[in-house]
Amino acid sequence: MWDTLWVDANLATMIPGGRPYGAIMRGAVAAKDGEIAWVGYAADLPKPPDELAREVRRCADAWITPGLVDCHTHLVFGGDRAREFELRLQGASYEEIARAGGGIVSTVAATRAASRAELVKSAAKRLAGLTREGVTSVEIKSGYGLDLENEIKMLEAAGELGALGNVRVKRTFLGLHALPPEFKEDRAAYVQLVADVMIPAIAAVGLADAVDAFCEDIGFTADEVDYVFSSACENGLAVKLHAEQLSNQSGAALAARYQALSADHLEYLDDAGIAAMAQAGTVAVLLPGAFYFLRETQAPPIEKLRAAGVAMAVASDCNPGTSPMTSPLAALNMACTLFRLTPEEALAGMTREGARALGLLDDVGTLEVGKAADLALWDVKSPAELCYWLGAPLLRERVFAGRAV
Ligand code: DI6
Ligand code: FE
């Protein structure tokens, strides 16, 4: 007997190669022990539903997708940056504010001042924004502590959120996010601290799955990132990179040299970077929320990424400075309107490709037997509606590891 069987539903399995969205009309999906035990056409079920599962859920023609995977967020932080938003609306640029000691560094002060419990509490609200729109897996970065104690506090808070929110959490250590004020006169010492002390310490206690960095004029140079990435590899952690968001630093190519899981943002990505990513199988994570919120005008080279066969994921980048957005469906809409992804590409970007970008594709991201029974049930007549509406309450039910939550 299966635990639960969903019938009277259409499935967007997101398995590539067949019909759009891997769709199965009048499908059924079953869960046992938290995993998907059966997927297919309801007509092919071996027996009547009630003889197959302890609980049968009739879905009145809802669409079922894999639970959404938000593969790039900075959900945990103290304070907010609404004041900075006002300054930017009066003409100050993100870079000017950062150089004047605002920006990320101001969130660092607020994050250091917050207790772990306070961080969990404020992030839980943002996480609720994600889960009420179907997210079942989320990546959460550190990077607003910038010393070992506060980075650990952030990563522990991120871990607590998983159990609290019924989501799978992948944690990323983002030590090279900004130069902390106490190292203002000695960049090299901070980079060394991150590589030689913080990464080994965090890896030793299993608080992170990956290491990220902000490779940018106002962030860290490719050489500095290179140094930190070699420590990540030595310590058995995957890497990923904020690359080519505001300028071209050849960060994506550097990331690809390290077989990075992903390179993220990519507005200024060049042809060499695309080729390197294609070769390495590095996922392009598109973050239209940051593009929108910063009123950027140069979009990532979507057409060329597509032509090169680079996998494209879409994520919220939820963070206080450049993407204060807790709506994954809004990110899907923006990926289509601003970056010209097709709705199928956008939805794949927040399911299958998001999972790939987290190294989780064997576990989640498509509706396939043996993967976790992480599902989202939607009140829509076609999957394209998930990218079309802005702000509509489309989620009917979220299923995490086989349980409706
Ligand atoms: N790029 C971003 O978009 C965020 N971090 C990064 O490296 C912004 C973070 C912030 O402004 O607080
Ligand atoms: Fe980011």
Side-chain angles (χ1 to χ4, degrees):
M1 283 293 260
W2 296 322
D3 297 330
T4 311
L5 174 64
W6 290 265
V7 293
D8 300 337
N10 300 310
L11 313 180
T13 67
M14 304 315 289
I15 296 169
R19 299 160 169 281
Y21 302 95
I24 297 178
M25 307 300 288
R26 288 184 212 90
V29 54
K32 185 172 174 56
D33 298 331
E35 288 183 358
I36 297 176
W38 196 91
V39 194
Y41 289 95
D44 294 337
L45 282 166
K47 286 195 241 172
D50 299 301
E51 294 174 31
L52 288 167
R54 263 182 285 282
E55 187 188 5
V56 176
R57 315 267 298 187
R58 298 187 190 279
C59 303
D61 292 331
W63 274 85
I64 301 181
T65 67
L68 300 187
V69 180
D70 192 349
C71 70
H72 178 142
T73 85
H74 311 244
L75 269 193
V76 173
F77 56 83
D80 68 77
R81 305 248 286 281
R83 177 64 194 142
E84 177 181 317
F85 179 54
E86 291 179 317
L87 291 174
R88 285 203 297 107
L89 290 172
Q90 287 161 22
S93 75
Y94 181 70
E95 288 94 328
E96 281 162 8
I97 290 167
R99 291 210 166 89
I104 294 173
V105 169
S106 67
T107 298
V108 171
T111 304
R112 287 178 174 179
S115 69
R116 183 169 102 192
E118 286 165 342
L119 292 178
V120 170
K121 192 168 170 217
S122 64
K125 287 190 198 154
R126 295 185 279 273
L127 179 60
L130 302 183
T131 55
R132 75 169 156 257
E133 289 188 351
V135 168
T136 50
S137 298
V138 64
E139 184 256 19
I140 303 176
K141 300 176 195 297
S142 67
Y144 293 117
L146 307 186
D147 59 34
L148 187 56
E149 180 193 339
N150 284 294
E151 288 290 301
I152 285 178
K153 179 176 75 180
M154 288 188 72
L155 292 166
E156 286 175 343
E160 274 187 48
L161 287 165
L164 207 69
N166 287 305
V167 284
R168 248 163 261 285
V169 172
K170 281 280 193 182
R171 292 180 288 192
T172 301
F173 171 58
L174 176 53
L176 291 195
H177 197 194
L179 196 60
E182 62 274 21
F183 281 91
K184 219 168 168 181
E185 306 308 325
D186 198 353
R187 299 180 63 81
Y190 181 65
V191 174
Q192 222 164 20
L193 180 73
V194 167
D196 300 348
V197 177
M198 293 167 80
I199 288 179
I202 285 166
V205 288
L207 275 174
D209 306 292
V211 168
D212 191 354
F214 186 33
C215 188
E216 199 58 65
D217 278 330
I218 56 166
F220 293 87
T221 66
D223 284 346
E224 289 165 338
V225 173
D226 197 340
Y227 187 70
V228 162
F229 275 6
S230 36
S231 168
C233 290
E234 279 163 26
N235 286 281
L237 297 176
V239 302
K240 55 180 74 176
L241 189 63
H242 283 72
E244 274 74 84
Q245 178 185 11
L246 307 168
S247 62
N248 181 0
Q249 309 278 334
S250 299
L254 168 68
R257 271 211 299 288
Y258 280 90
Q259 306 289 315
L261 286 170
S262 68
D264 305 37
H265 288 285
L266 303 175
E267 277 77 352
Y268 290 84
L269 181 64
D270 61 16
D271 291 350
I274 295 171
M277 288 176 69
Q279 171 84 39
T282 295
V283 177
V285 176
L286 307 172
L287 303 167
F291 176 90
Y292 164 83
F293 198 71
L294 293 177
R295 305 185 73 219
E296 295 289 341
T297 50
Q298 178 164 329
I302 302 300
E303 196 67 63
K304 288 180 171 179
L305 286 165
R306 204 183 265 138
V310 175
M312 293 185 282
V314 176
S316 70
D317 196 15
C318 179
N319 79 71
T322 64
S323 189
M325 175 169 80
T326 61
S327 167
L329 296 183
L332 293 185
N333 178 275
M334 290 177 184
C336 297
T337 52
L338 300 175
F339 292 169
R340 293 292 171 206
L341 263 62
T342 67
E344 186 183 359
E345 284 173 327
L347 186 58
M350 214 178 258
T351 52
R352 184 181 72 232
E353 305 311 334
R356 192 191 310 275
L358 295 180
L360 276 179
L361 191 54
D362 288 342
D363 305 310
V364 299
T366 60
L367 301 183
E368 282 180 84
V369 171
K371 291 197 179 186
D374 289 3
L375 316 174
L377 278 65
W378 307 96
D379 275 317
V380 295
K381 287 183 212 64
S382 73
E385 281 189 66
L386 298 175
C387 302
Y388 161 74
W389 298 103
L390 201 49
L394 303 180
L395 188 78
R396 183 185 295 180
E397 183 172 294
R398 195 175 71 95
V399 176
F400 179 64
R403 279 187 312 114
V405 284

